[in-house]
Amino acid sequence: MTSTTEKTYATLTEAERSFVDEVARHYHEAHGVTWEKGRAMAWMIISDPIEQTLDQICAAVDAEPDSIEQLIEQLTLAGLYRRIESPGEETRYRLVDDGYPKAVADTFASWPEYHQIFRFGLEVLADADEDRRRRIAEIEELFGHIVGDLADMSKRWEEHRRTAAA
């Protein structure tokens, strides 16, 4: 069921505002994302209707288009949002159904390469002083541990998705 009324931040339910603000708080504190951008990211997860124009997104999160337009474009390029263009209609955006799991998997998929790059760095700095070498060694060790765990985690996630779909 889709909403026929225009949502604004003030007309979101208390629960919706709480969710939107909690996601925004997390992104703000953990990653330095502005509150408006964090709210936009949260709103697109729960938006009603699922397809939103930039103006609708802005109304729902109490933001100006200039404050979130770049975010919307970045998340579209990253594959989290889909741009929907129809002749004579305003451009709409929607969250890609499998966007977040795919984005996370894509990010994790690049980490083995980071590990290899830092292992190469250790070779490059084989004769460097201990302080200089220690900095890269810590990063290489971190990625070494993470990469092993990621393979298992990815397998568990895929198994979970298969069994949940059955």
Side-chain angles (χ1 to χ4, degrees):
M1 180 174 183
T2 59
S3 172
T4 57
T5 59
E6 199 68 22
K7 294 276 190 167
T8 66
Y9 186 73
T11 64
L12 298 181
T13 67
E14 185 176 331
E16 289 171 329
R17 276 193 310 275
S18 293
F19 172 76
V20 165
D21 286 341
E22 188 62 19
V23 171
R25 181 202 58 76
H26 167 76
Y27 277 108
H28 180 71
E29 291 177 1
H31 306 289
V33 172
T34 66
W35 281 91
E36 293 86 358
K37 289 179 180 179
R39 283 179 175 159
M41 293 168 72
W43 173 245
M44 291 303 289
I45 295 170
I46 64 168
S47 65
D48 180 28
I50 193 169
E51 293 179 5
Q52 298 275 298
T53 66
L54 182 60
D55 288 340
Q56 288 173 314
I57 297 166
C58 289
V61 301
D62 196 24
E64 294 297 319
D66 289 349
S67 67
I68 65 166
E69 192 168 21
Q70 181 182 13
L71 169 77
I72 300 298
E73 289 304 315
Q74 289 172 330
L75 295 177
T76 300
L77 288 172
L80 287 172
Y81 295 174
R82 178 179 301 124
R83 179 182 293 108
I84 302 161
E85 297 176 311
S86 301
E89 291 185 22
E90 200 172 349
T91 300
R92 297 176 318 280
Y93 301 89
R94 71 174 286 157
L95 184 73
V96 173
D97 289 340
D98 203 17
Y100 272 89
K102 184 175 180 336
V104 169
D106 289 350
T107 298
F108 289 164
S110 69
W111 287 13
E113 184 177 355
Y114 284 134
H115 183 226
Q116 292 303 315
I117 292 168
F118 287 107
R119 288 181 77 184
F120 174 67
L122 285 175
E123 293 172 19
V124 169
L125 297 178
D127 297 328
D129 67 69
E130 186 58 32
D131 282 339
R132 189 172 176 210
R133 193 170 154 70
R134 179 186 44 77
R135 293 189 309 252
I136 200 164
E138 288 175 355
I139 299 169
E140 185 276 333
E141 184 178 7
L142 168 68
F143 277 102
H145 284 283
I146 290 173
V147 166
D149 290 344
L150 285 177
D152 292 338
M153 186 174 59
S154 294
K155 288 176 189 172
R156 287 192 313 271
W157 171 248
E158 288 304 318
E159 180 60 29
H160 167 77
R161 291 188 72 183
R162 274 193 298 279
T163 57

